[in-house]
Amino acid sequence: METTESKNFIEQEIDKDLREGVYDHVCTRFPPEPNGYLHIGHAKSILLNYGLAKKYNGEFHMRFDDTNPTKERMEFVESIKEDIKWLGADWEDHLYFASDYFEQMYECAVKLIKKGKAYVCDLTPDEIREYRGTLTEPGKESPYRNRSVEENLELFENMKNGVYKDGEKVLRAKIDMASPNINMRDPILYRVAHMTHHNTGDKWCIYPMYDFAHPIEDAVEKITHSICTLEFEDHRPLYDWVVRECEFDHGPRQIEFAKLYLTNVVTGKRYIKKLVEEGIVDGWDDPRLVSIAALRRRGFTPESIKMFVDLCGVSKAQSSVDYAMLEYCIREDLKLKRPRMMAVLDPVKLVIDNYPEGEVEYLEADNNLENPELGKRKVPFCRELYIEREDFMEEPPKKYFRLFPGNEVRLMNAYFVTCTGCEKDEDGNVTVVHCTYDPETKCGSGFTGRKVKGTIHWVPAPYAVEAKVRLYENLIDEEKGVYNKEDGSLNLNPNSLQTRKCFVEPNFQGAKAYDSFQFVRQGYFCVDARDSRPDALVFNRIVSLKSSFKLPK
Ligand code: ATP
Ligand code: MG
């Protein structure tokens, strides 16, 4: 049988390069700047790069692009490593820091000066901007452009030795001020910045610019395919120029793909920082966010994220994906893997008046009807239970098949009960629902006498464990969209977090951080890693059970 496998455009390019002998192996990398937490978009890039390395039996490098000491911190290095490991991208012993190549970058700059391809420029930042021209007008050459090689070498050495103040001089590539591509109009390669770097300390007071550093990092590591997002497409001529002029053999090749965007979801660091600072969310891992740490805390699994990224595909066309697709993936992933247990989120008491007082029996329940491998458990059953308030109505509308006076329903994993009435407080709120049970109808007893239309879940009142649940909605008001048109602020949904007391069956005792469950008829929930304690469980709702989402064709 012939197997047909559809390949994305990057794989097609790699196949071509291998076929034509441009490269004889594949080496990819993920190059985050350690200036924040990773989000779902980064997960796409990580899994794409790692996946390609695996597929082609190549190497995957983890490299911190730490060439800008202003915004970088070690805290982020650690969180990024943790997130990438969790996603399952294994860099083995290929962990690198761009700052380890500062010496090589410096030598490359010297080489360019010697070749007459770089010069030290004294224009101020404002003047440089002015001289650069616009999309419609060519730039103007700097008056310092024609300094001699000797002079440039000496000035650059002075830059390195701390002779100049920040911003006083820069090293620029000598390319073409009339180029239609503004990136090629003598871009800055090095700037003076008297700053302490988290890795190299005070050794350097000049730092390379991204467009100069990045191709060198890739080339030094012998990366073959340098995969990045679309906004770098216009930088590719400069990338190629640096690789060529610095005379690397077998230089890497840059390929761009479209960023992953989620509709009505905030990913911008600036906005998330504000939400954290204003206490609207409880940190970078608040389960309403889509940082990898937040998704993990919410209860997403690496498998679900991988499935999501695969469904999104890789393309050059910018588009935005619905959050519902991510929810679809976690439901699919947990469906067969996790036990389905009973929890009542809005409890009202149900009393079975003909069930002997003080008696308890342990009824057997399947942990997951669709996956017998998860086994069975026992749930205590007795005269007083909790059920969901919405599963009883004194005066039901048509097609309501749950409890109402005179109606019979099945208690999941237990017996049929017939509602006989209810008690209410002064305000008319139902406080207790009454019913009788039919001992012949025990679940699993082989009883086939009658059919009932409704099945409801319950927990045994004296054995119930009190817990907290957090029900989430989108942080953003979806009607209004992410940003307020007037002042650019976020349109927040005031109901994005609802916290409730609930009762769960006793089998939840011992649940640990990140354990997840289906609460039958309610959704998937995960034990919160930060706030849950063995004697005070806290569950985050990962996702509800229902969805109108349809898998795209
Ligand atoms: P910022 O949001 O501050 O611009 P960044 O998200 O680009 O930063 P980097 O650390 O530079 O952060 O990103 C590391 C890698 O992740 C880059 O190769 C970048 O192209 C990729 N990446 C970033 N955002 C996305 C996204 N939304 N979808 C896919 N890849 C992304
Ligand atoms: Mg970036």
Side-chain angles (χ1 to χ4, degrees), residues 257-515:
F257 70 102
K259 271 193 174 178
L260 171 62
Y261 288 104
L262 284 170
T263 314
N264 284 327
V265 169
V266 206
T267 47
K269 280 172 207 164
R270 190 159 62 90
Y271 287 98
I272 294 177
K273 190 157 174 272
K274 198 148 173 274
L275 293 171
V276 174
E277 280 165 2
E278 290 175 4
I280 293 165
V281 296
D282 82 345
W284 286 83
D285 61 352
D286 185 290
R288 286 166 291 177
L289 299 172
V290 291
S291 64
I292 294 176
L295 291 168
R296 179 166 62 229
R297 186 170 163 204
R298 175 95 171 239
F300 281 84
T301 56
E303 293 81 0
S304 64
I305 293 175
K306 168 110 181 26
M307 189 192 304
F308 175 69
V309 163
D310 287 346
L311 280 175
C312 289
V314 183
S315 94
K316 280 238 178 217
Q318 209 80 255
S319 69
S320 177
V321 182
D322 201 345
Y323 187 82
M325 192 155 105
L326 190 55
E327 296 188 320
Y328 164 85
C329 294
I330 187 66
R331 274 193 211 99
E332 282 298 301
D333 186 46
L334 298 181
K335 195 163 73 181
L336 299 182
K337 277 188 192 167
R338 305 302 307 155
R340 302 173 181 183
M341 312 226 284
M342 296 191 286
V344 173
L345 304 190
D346 184 14
V348 68
K349 205 167 248 186
L350 177 73
V351 177
I352 309 166
D353 291 301
N354 64 339
Y355 194 90
E357 228 163 308
E359 193 164 310
V360 54
E361 57 185 311
Y362 288 84
L363 302 178
E364 197 168 67
D366 285 292
N367 284 328
N368 187 326
L369 266 177
E370 290 181 70
N371 179 7
E373 279 178 23
L374 292 188
K376 294 173 187 288
R377 69 187 188 285
K378 300 267 188 187
V379 188
F381 182 82
C382 56
R383 182 182 155 95
E384 295 199 358
L385 313 174
Y386 289 115
I387 59 169
E388 298 289 348
R389 187 164 285 279
E390 61 167 31
D391 286 340
F392 169 76
M393 282 184 103
E394 203 174 10
E395 288 168 28
K398 273 202 182 110
K399 297 206 170 149
Y400 184 87
F401 299 120
R402 292 169 272 167
L403 281 176
F404 56 87
N407 194 40
E408 187 172 51
V409 302
R410 182 201 311 273
L411 290 177
M412 195 177 281
N413 307 311
Y415 296 93
F416 286 16
V417 292
T418 303
C419 183
T420 54
C422 67
E423 293 170 38
K424 289 191 256 187
D425 64 15
E426 293 116 59
D427 304 323
N429 300 313
V430 175
T431 51
V432 181
V433 178
H434 287 274
C435 67
T436 56
Y437 86 118
D438 176 354
E440 301 299 309
T441 58
K442 185 167 170 174
C443 182
S445 68
F447 170 79
T448 54
R450 304 184 287 284
K451 285 216 162 67
V452 285
K453 281 199 164 145
T455 299
I456 64 172
H457 64 278
W458 50 276
V459 295
Y463 305 92
V465 175
E466 196 179 305
K468 220 156 75 174
V469 281
R470 296 175 178 154
L471 306 178
Y472 298 109
E473 285 179 17
N474 195 345
L475 193 57
I476 295 300
D477 183 338
E478 295 184 12
E479 303 272 292
K480 296 189 186 146
V482 180
Y483 305 106
N484 184 322
K485 286 194 183 68
E486 251 116 73
D487 60 2
S489 63
L490 295 175
N491 289 319
L492 295 173
N493 168 9
N495 303 317
S496 62
L497 168 65
Q498 209 195 102
T499 302
R500 286 206 195 160
K501 245 168 54 174
C502 70
F503 288 112
V504 301
E505 62 171 272
N507 295 300
F508 280 99
Q509 258 155 2
K512 296 182 305 296
Y514 301 113
D515 283 352

Side-chain angles (χ1 to χ4, degrees), residues 23-42:
Y23 302 107
D24 60 5
H25 68 292
V26 170
C27 183
T28 61
R29 86 289 176 260
F30 177 66
E33 192 179 347
N35 65 357
Y37 290 88
L38 298 182
H39 57 63
I40 183 81
H42 296 116

Side-chain angles (χ1 to χ4, degrees), residues 96-114:
Y96 304 103
F97 288 85
S99 55
D100 287 339
Y101 314 142
F102 279 162
E103 196 65 50
Q104 273 146 298
M105 292 174 192
Y106 179 79
E107 282 160 18
C108 284
V110 170
K111 174 180 254 172
L112 293 180
I113 294 173
K114 288 185 178 157

